[in-house]
Amino acid sequence: MPATHHAPVLILGSGPAGLTAAIYAARAALQPMLVAGLQPGGQMTITTDVENYPGFAATIQGPWLMEQMQKQAEHVGTRFVQDQIVTADLSRRPFACTGDSGDVYTGDALIVATGASARWLGIPGEEALRGFGVSACATCDGFFFRGKKVAVVGGGNTAVEESLFLTNHATQVTLIHRRDSLRAEKIMQTRLFANPKVSVVWDTVVEEVLGSGTPAALASLKLRNLKNGASSTLAVDGLFVAIGHTPNTGLFKDQLAMDREGYIVARPGSTETNIPGVFAAGDVQDRVFRQAVTAAGTGCMSAIEAGHFLARAEAVARAAQ
Ligand code: FAD
Ligand code: NAP
């Protein structure tokens, strides 16, 4: 029998944004309830070394950092729920979100911190060979390519980080990028270019992913050079797609104001959305920075703003009595 669970502050997402919002909301006695989603801990759980989260002089591990954040949020009194929200009704307060389990979660204020998911190339063969050589997570699947040849597509921090990580397992890593320069941080590029296992194919796109055998496994990639139009084939055992992420905001379409790419539009300098009482924190509303520390920062802002909103709403209700 589906149940309804209510909290003054309902938080969707358990990445750095949602967990930081939970820590601040709990410490402000707002009794937050957090729905963790399918990826408890968020994107940082699929990476290894983290060197830029302040407070740690030594390199730390992404999953460990998220475990610590979750423990901190629990310790101060956050109620955690393991469910994935499938529909949301933001037309009235309390806002109501229905989980995959059938349970309904309501909140007088809502913090949307559902983050972002890996983007795919959308080329022939990619979907059919996912799990059979095609992946979007080197940390998760790199081990399966011990002693093999792999390719990575992309030119950002993720692509470079995935390439470097894969050199721990694969014999050869080919980074394929559509332009002639990377957008990854310089320190990462220096490490990449210095690694003898890595070669970079510039100005090139993957047009098709080709499999062989039964069941079919990835065998090669059909490439095209964008400068001279030349086609070629690259034999690889693994393909790691690292071309960025799409914000997880489909649930809120036609309810929350979004930009063309689906990022929630928050009022500048704030996490307020177009619906009073609904706040957006982390990668869902950040098309520029998309870092754990900025997600945590906006998570903090959202909890403080949710607290102010509830206090104002209570004062209005009291005055009307
Ligand atoms: P996310 O971490 O994306 O978390 C989203 C949460 O929402 C998840 O818990 C998910 O389960 C939940 N969710 C989604 N949909 C629903 C739903 N329908 N219902 C309920 N819950 C839902 N940043 C750094 O600062 N340093 C790094 O070293 C670094 N390394 C990275 C390495 C990789 C491979 C990647 C992909 C990213 C890296 N980043 C790094 C970026 C960083 O991970 C993100 O900026 C950060 O995780 C964003 O946090 P978030 O809380 O907004 O969302
Ligand atoms: P990103 O910075 O958006 O980079 C995506 C890359 O993929 C770009 O180089 C882009 O090419 C390429 N690309 C996009 N669509 C493509 C397509 N259809 N075909 C081929 N190539 C395509 O994404 P990201 O690397 O995942 O990083 C996301 C955020 O997380 C960033 O803010 C990043 O700093 C952060 N992050 C940080 C760390 C760290 O601090 N160590 C690690 C990982 C991620 P163009 O360059 O031509 O646009």
Side-chain angles (χ1 to χ4, degrees):
M1 180 78 178
T4 297
H5 314 267
H6 181 76
V9 174
L10 174 63
I11 301 169
L12 308 184
S14 54
L19 290 174
T20 307
I23 292 165
Y24 275 78
R27 296 191 76 253
L30 297 170
Q31 300 159 48
M33 174 166 57
L34 183 149
V35 183
L38 291 176
Q39 190 178 43
Q43 294 171 63
M44 293 293 277
T45 59
I46 60 161
T47 191
T48 49
D49 292 357
V50 177
E51 296 178 343
N52 53 12
Y53 197 83
F56 305 96
T59 301
I60 54 167
Q61 300 297 300
W64 177 84
L65 177 65
M66 299 319 300
E67 205 180 287
Q68 294 300 310
M69 277 193 212
Q70 172 162 348
K71 282 187 180 155
Q72 191 176 355
E74 276 168 351
H75 179 71
V76 290
T78 306
R79 192 166 22 137
F80 277 84
V81 178
Q82 193 48 63
D83 208 343
Q84 170 84 355
I85 300 302
V86 289
T87 60
D89 179 0
L90 310 185
S91 61
R92 70 185 73 87
R93 284 204 314 127
F95 306 113
C97 298
T98 306
D100 198 30
S101 65
D103 282 10
V104 177
Y105 306 93
T106 60
D108 299 319
L110 175 70
I111 296 176
V112 178
T114 47
S117 297
R119 204 181 280 158
W120 295 93
L121 291 163
I123 53 174
E126 179 185 50
E127 195 172 343
L129 291 170
R130 258 192 236 170
F132 298 92
V134 177
S135 168
C137 178
T139 322
C140 321
D141 301 327
F143 181 79
F144 301 117
F145 298 90
R146 187 164 286 273
K148 299 191 170 172
K149 289 182 188 169
V150 299
V152 176
V153 181
N157 272 338
T158 302
V160 171
E161 205 169 75
E162 303 265 273
S163 299
L164 288 169
F165 177 79
L166 286 164
T167 61
N168 296 326
H169 301 293
T171 50
Q172 199 181 314
V173 177
T174 306
L175 178 64
I176 302 165
H177 184 40
R178 63 183 179 183
R179 291 189 298 118
D180 60 2
S181 64
L182 302 173
R183 65 169 67 232
E185 287 167 323
K186 290 290 175 243
I187 188 171
M188 312 268 291
Q189 296 196 28
T190 305
R191 283 181 204 162
L192 183 88
F193 298 140
N195 194 308
K197 281 192 179 176
V198 178
S199 56
V200 183
V201 178
W202 301 106
D203 301 309
T204 296
V205 291
V206 181
E207 285 193 318
E208 192 172 353
V209 180
L210 302 157
S212 70
T214 319
L218 172 59
S220 62
L221 305 174
K222 191 174 158 203
L223 308 182
R224 186 166 55 87
N225 183 300
L226 294 176
K227 286 224 163 122
N228 59 23
S231 289
S232 60
T233 301
L234 179 72
V236 285
D237 306 290
L239 170 67
F240 289 84
V241 179
I243 60 167
H245 290 74
T246 305
N248 297 322
T249 55
L251 266 178
F252 309 105
K253 197 167 173 281
D254 300 328
Q255 300 190 78
L256 291 179
M258 294 177 199
D259 69 10
R260 264 191 313 140
E261 288 180 58
Y263 287 91
I264 296 171
V265 176
R267 189 171 64 78
S270 162
T271 61
E272 288 172 9
T273 67
N274 58 310
I275 299 182
V278 179
F279 303 87
D283 281 13
V284 275
Q285 53 81 58
D286 175 9
R287 64 198 314 286
V288 179
F289 303 107
R290 294 173 295 168
Q291 301 294 305
V293 69
T294 46
T298 50
C300 157
M301 287 166 63
S302 67
I304 293 174
E305 293 190 305
H308 291 166
F309 170 81
L310 292 176
R312 276 197 308 273
E314 205 179 300
V316 169
R318 230 182 290 120
Q321 277 171 5

